Amino acid sequence: GAGVSQSPSNKVTEKGKDVELRCDPISGHTALYWYRQRLGQGLEFLIYFQGNSAPDKSGLPSDRFSAERTGESVSTLTIQRTQQEDSAVYLCASSQDRESSYEQYFGPGTRLTVT
Amino acid sequence: GQNIDQPTEMTATEGAIVQINCTYQTSGFNGLFWYQQHAGEAPTFLSYNVLDGLEEKGRFSSFLSRSKGYSYLLLKELQMKDSASYLCAVFNQAGTALIFGKGTTLSVSS
């Protein structure tokens, strides 16, 4: 596709359930980023992938959060045992490579609501 | 660590000029960014400053002073469609991702 896509666009889940959020970056982009945006807050960095490796996962808030990337393409962010404070919009972005990380292209986000 | 401050809200009228300020504190500066985010949409890249001075791109200009830890985004000839949040961001210490401020919500009225 032409841009970064994410699915689902909206997810409502019960507290304690696991969720998987998917990101398809722009074809050929080797760098991929996950961010979280809580209501009324700025974007918080979660994790950065270069290829299939994650050299920086310093933003993951707890061990309930994990992410993987395969084929230097699709990435999945998994949240286990969801809590209400996990409710946020989860945004994925990609850039051509690390050197081009100044220009990140964002997907539309997944709005996660934990009830 | 990093800290970014910008005003929460601003209002302006069509055709006017508005300046959105951003101050930052960071250990190891690798550039400052401005993104635009319309309500319910993804952020889109506006500008990147790594050297001091003014960068102009059409109606939008961005200024950086590294010694003062200060940047501003200048929007000229405001249009209603410029109503959005404007996010100031810097690279994290590792240079791997962006650290964003909370954003400034700009409302443009006729």
Side-chain angles (χ1 to χ4, degrees):
Chain A
V4 178
S5 60
Q6 293 185 244
S7 61
S9 55
N10 279 284
K11 176 72 177 179
V12 180
T13 190
E14 291 180 355
K15 178 181 170 182
K17 295 284 179 69
D18 298 352
V19 295
E20 281 190 355
L21 312 180
R22 177 188 168 108
C23 171
D24 285 87
I26 292 173
S27 178
H29 279 196
T30 63
L32 185 148
Y33 315 81
W34 282 98
Y35 295 88
R36 176 171 73 175
Q37 188 172 31
R38 289 170 161 157
L39 188 64
Q41 302 294 313
L43 278 75
E44 300 171 70
F45 165 71
L46 297 178
I47 187 169
Y48 155 66
F49 285 93
Q50 181 57 47
N52 294 331
S53 303
D56 189 354
K57 51 179 82 170
S58 61
L60 293 178
S62 75
D63 58 7
R64 296 187 296 104
F65 287 71
S66 63
E68 65 173 15
R69 189 179 185 195
T70 56
E72 299 199 351
S73 180
V74 173
S75 176
T76 303
L77 178 68
T78 301
I79 310 173
Q80 296 178 308
R81 305 180 304 281
T82 51
Q83 303 293 313
Q84 287 186 330
E85 64 260 27
D86 299 334
S87 295
V89 176
Y90 288 82
L91 289 158
C92 175
S94 70
S95 64
Q96 191 159 2
D97 47 40
R98 177 179 170 169
E99 286 67 38
S100 304
S101 57
Y102 60 86
E103 189 163 3
Q104 299 181 16
Y105 296 85
F106 283 82
T110 293
R111 182 175 298 278
L112 175 66
T113 304
V114 182
T115 61
Chain B
Q2 278 95 358
N3 188 50
I4 298 172
D5 286 309
Q6 49 182 136
T8 306
E9 293 181 340
M10 297 185 72
T11 59
T13 53
E14 267 189 306
I17 299 173
V18 71
Q19 177 175 311
I20 303 174
N21 296 324
C22 170
T23 57
Y24 65 90
Q25 295 169 318
T26 182
S27 45
F29 179 77
N30 289 301
L32 186 137
F33 306 80
W34 285 96
Y35 277 77
Q36 181 191 58
Q37 185 177 27
H38 285 100
E41 298 183 12
T44 54
F45 172 80
L46 288 179
S47 67
Y48 169 56
N49 292 66
V50 66
L51 300 176
D52 290 350
L54 187 68
E55 299 259 350
E56 298 188 64
K57 271 188 190 179
R59 295 189 298 115
F60 291 9
S61 303
S62 56
F63 171 83
L64 175 67
S65 169
R66 289 172 295 170
S67 62
K68 295 181 179 177
Y70 168 69
S71 173
Y72 66 73
L73 181 69
L74 192 71
L75 292 77
K76 301 176 187 175
E77 300 167 20
L78 280 174
Q79 302 174 11
M80 298 290 286
K81 68 178 182 179
D82 297 330
S83 294
S85 274
Y86 291 86
L87 311 176
C88 178
V90 296
F91 267 126
N92 65 358
Q93 197 163 356
T96 52
L98 299 175
I99 305 297
F100 285 86
K102 293 185 178 180
T104 299
T105 300
L106 174 65
S107 299
V108 180
S109 58
S110 55

